[in-house]
Structure formats: C-alpha cells, structure tokens
Amino acid sequence: MTLKKLPDAEFEIMKTIWSSSEPVTSPELTEKLRRFLPEKDWKPQTVLTMLTRLEKKGFLRSEKKSKERAYYVVITEQQYLSIEQESFRNRFGNKSFSSLVKALYDGEKVSEEDIKELKDWIDSI
C-alpha cells in the first residue's frame, strides 16, 4: 500500500493520537482535540468519520471494546514524516540536496552560526 499525504485535519488527528497513550477512543480524541485545538469545531461525528478514513488508509486499526472502538497506530509518526520528507524533496529539490536547500532559503542573510551548524552537520554525515 502506498501512503499519501494526509489532509490537514486528518494530520491533526494523527498528531494527537501519536502523542497519546494507546489505545484512544473517539470520545477521548474529540475531547483532546477540543482542548488542544479549540479554534476548530471538533464534532464527535466528524472525528469518527476521520478515524474511519484513517483506518481505511492504513494509518490506524481498531478493535471493539465494550461500547467504544479503540484505535491503535499502524503508521508511526516517524514513518509518516519520512513519507512527507521524500515527497517534499521530490517536489522542491528535484532529488538534489542543494536544490532542496535553495528551495528552503528565504532570501534573508544567513548567520555565521547557521553556516557553521550546517557545515558541522555536513561533516558529521
């Protein structure tokens, strides 16, 4: 299965799940989202719909526990971020490290400290 970039709302849900202890239920997740991301109107049915989508996409699995479904992570945060990084590199860096750095550069003066940190990092790999 090929994983694709998640829409923002689904990514917010996954970030919340990744930072939670497993398993998580829909009501628990809805409450956490409302607490940590109050600017969005997190309705229980919306969260449940997104959890179902994330399960179909292979990011989560669920088990029925009494009246609720418990959701477990299938794709870790690090696995997903690797997919995102590769996608970003392919789109903006033409698979070239120097092209990627140029794409990230915003035109501001780069400090000597930043240059030293970058050189030290390059020397370490």
Side-chain angles (χ1 to χ4, degrees):
M1 169 183 9
T2 302
L3 297 176
K4 295 184 180 177
K5 183 178 177 0
L6 292 173
D8 290 344
E10 290 178 15
F11 181 63
E12 291 299 335
I13 286 177
M14 285 305 300
K15 282 192 334 188
T16 304
I17 295 171
W18 286 322
S19 69
S20 301
S21 57
E22 289 188 294
V24 65
T25 64
S26 179
E28 292 168 340
L29 183 59
T30 300
E31 206 252 276
K32 285 182 181 190
L33 289 164
R34 286 178 173 170
R35 194 169 0 132
F36 297 120
L37 298 165
E39 64 278 2
K40 290 193 175 183
D41 184 22
W42 295 100
K43 292 183 174 41
Q45 187 58 42
T46 303
V47 172
L48 190 57
T49 298
M50 286 195 233
L51 286 169
T52 302
R53 283 184 198 157
L54 287 164
E55 191 172 8
K56 285 180 183 173
K57 290 178 180 181
F59 282 85
L60 300 172
R61 69 176 178 81
S62 70
E63 294 175 8
K64 185 79 169 164
K65 301 259 181 164
S66 64
K67 292 196 284 185
E68 297 290 338
R69 290 199 80 73
Y71 292 88
Y72 298 85
V73 170
V74 173
I75 302 299
T76 66
E77 185 174 18
Q78 189 55 46
Q79 288 171 315
Y80 181 69
L81 291 178
S82 292
I83 294 163
E84 285 280 1
Q85 290 167 356
E86 182 179 346
S87 171
F88 186 84
R89 280 193 313 271
N90 289 340
R91 282 189 298 170
F92 296 102
N94 296 326
K95 298 186 181 184
S96 156
F97 181 75
S98 60
S99 295
L100 178 62
V101 171
K102 289 174 189 174
L104 293 173
Y105 177 62
D106 63 2
E108 297 291 317
K109 182 168 176 22
V110 180
S111 73
E112 291 297 321
E113 184 177 333
D114 286 340
I115 292 171
K116 182 186 179 322
E117 283 180 22
L118 187 56
K119 284 180 181 177
D120 289 347
W121 177 75
I122 290 171
D123 289 343
S124 75
I125 55 174

